Amino acid sequence: MHSILYLHILVVLLAAICLWSLRHELVERPASGAGFSVPPALAILVASALLIVSPGKRVELWVIAIILGFAAGLGAGVILTAVKDYERRVVKVQRTFDGFGAAALLLLLAIARLVTSDLMTRQSSKFGVLGASASFLAAYIVGRAITIWWYTAPRTIHLDMTEDGRRKAG
């Protein structure tokens, strides 16, 4: 019983770190490849853990959610505007809220699983909707990051940036 509680707490912490790691999109700061790969990796870990502990094992619903989330993420990544510094290998995305919002919803789902499973000990209806929602959001974050880094950013102009995201003088 305690191991599941610890797993749910770990999942909430990982979701919070995922949300925190997407802050560069809110303030328009450049991020490296690691800055674009950490949030999807954490989102995958969170969604995987939520799928594992889900009492309703609805694999077909989860697969559909993953496919739809990935397609939506790929489409969202194409729409975004980015600028790349090819020398420093950093990308700055125009201020956007969709990735941050998806990570915030993922955090809310992790908190909901913790509260309903461990603190309230309610019986699940075994539909697997929470796991499907988490997998949709994680796939959205992954598809979006892949498109930004490998499609949108290479097609932008070169812009010299400093560490804090401003243009270099001169």
Side-chain angles (χ1 to χ4, degrees), residues 25-26 80 94-103 140 144:
E25 293 181 0
L26 293 177
L80 295 176
Q94 184 181 17
R95 180 171 289 127
T96 179
F97 299 100
D98 61 328
F100 195 80
Y140 178 83
R144 191 173 164 278

Coordinates of all heavy atoms in Angstrom, one line a residue, residues 25-26 80 94-103 140 144:
E25 N 9.2 28.6 -22.5 CA 8.2 29.0 -23.5 C 7.4 30.2 -23.1 O 6.9 30.9 -23.9 CB 7.3 27.8 -23.9 CG 8.1 26.7 -24.5 CD 7.2 25.6 -24.9 OE1 6.0 25.6 -24.7 OE2 7.8 24.6 -25.5
L26 N 7.2 30.4 -21.8 CA 6.4 31.5 -21.3 C 7.1 32.8 -21.3 O 6.5 33.8 -21.5 CB 5.9 31.2 -19.9 CG 4.9 30.1 -19.7 CD1 4.6 29.9 -18.2 CD2 3.6 30.3 -20.5
L80 N 3.9 26.9 -34.5 CA 4.6 27.8 -33.6 C 5.7 28.5 -34.4 O 6.2 28.0 -35.4 CB 5.3 27.0 -32.5 CG 4.3 26.4 -31.5 CD1 5.1 25.6 -30.5 CD2 3.5 27.5 -30.8
Q94 N 8.4 31.6 -29.8 CA 7.6 32.7 -29.5 C 6.6 32.3 -28.3 O 6.2 31.2 -28.2 CB 6.8 33.1 -30.7 CG 5.9 34.3 -30.5 CD 5.1 34.6 -31.8 OE1 5.0 33.8 -32.6 NE2 4.6 35.8 -31.9
R95 N 6.3 33.3 -27.5 CA 5.5 33.0 -26.3 C 4.3 32.2 -26.6 O 3.5 32.5 -27.5 CB 5.1 34.3 -25.6 CG 4.2 34.0 -24.4 CD 4.0 35.3 -23.6 NE 5.2 35.7 -22.9 CZ 5.7 36.9 -23.0 NH1 5.1 37.8 -23.7 NH2 6.9 37.2 -22.5
T96 N 4.2 31.0 -25.9 CA 3.1 30.1 -26.2 C 2.7 29.5 -24.9 O 3.5 29.3 -24.0 CB 3.5 29.0 -27.2 OG1 2.4 28.2 -27.4 CG2 4.7 28.3 -26.8
F97 N 1.4 29.1 -24.8 CA 0.9 28.5 -23.6 C 0.4 27.1 -23.7 O 0.0 26.5 -22.7 CB -0.3 29.4 -23.1 CG 0.1 30.8 -22.8 CD1 -0.2 31.8 -23.7 CD2 0.7 31.1 -21.6 CE1 0.2 33.1 -23.5 CE2 1.1 32.4 -21.4 CZ 0.8 33.4 -22.3
D98 N 0.4 26.5 -24.9 CA -0.2 25.2 -25.1 C 0.6 24.1 -24.5 O 0.1 23.2 -23.8 CB -0.4 24.9 -26.6 CG 0.8 24.9 -27.4 OD1 1.7 25.7 -27.1 OD2 0.9 24.2 -28.4
G99 N 1.9 24.1 -24.6 CA 2.8 23.1 -23.9 C 2.7 23.2 -22.4 O 2.6 22.2 -21.7
F100 N 2.8 24.5 -21.9 CA 2.7 24.7 -20.5 C 1.3 24.3 -20.0 O 1.2 23.7 -18.9 CB 3.0 26.2 -20.2 CG 3.2 26.5 -18.8 CD1 4.5 26.2 -18.2 CD2 2.2 27.0 -17.9 CE1 4.8 26.5 -16.9 CE2 2.5 27.3 -16.6 CZ 3.8 27.0 -16.1
G101 N 0.3 24.5 -20.7 CA -1.1 24.1 -20.3 C -1.2 22.6 -20.3 O -1.8 22.0 -19.4
A102 N -0.6 21.9 -21.3 CA -0.7 20.5 -21.3 C 0.1 19.9 -20.1 O -0.4 18.9 -19.5 CB -0.1 19.9 -22.6
A103 N 1.2 20.5 -19.8 CA 2.0 20.0 -18.6 C 1.2 20.3 -17.3 O 1.2 19.5 -16.4 CB 3.3 20.6 -18.6
Y140 N 1.1 14.6 -26.8 CA 1.0 16.0 -27.4 C 2.3 16.7 -27.1 O 2.9 17.3 -28.0 CB -0.2 16.7 -26.7 CG -0.3 18.2 -27.2 CD1 -1.0 18.5 -28.4 CD2 0.2 19.2 -26.4 CE1 -1.1 19.8 -28.8 CE2 0.1 20.5 -26.8 CZ -0.5 20.8 -28.0 OH -0.6 22.1 -28.4
R144 N 4.9 17.7 -30.2 CA 5.2 19.2 -30.3 C 6.7 19.4 -30.2 O 7.2 20.2 -31.0 CB 4.4 19.9 -29.1 CG 4.4 21.3 -29.2 CD 3.5 21.8 -28.0 NE 3.7 23.2 -27.8 CZ 4.6 23.7 -27.1 NH1 5.5 22.9 -26.5 NH2 4.8 25.0 -26.9

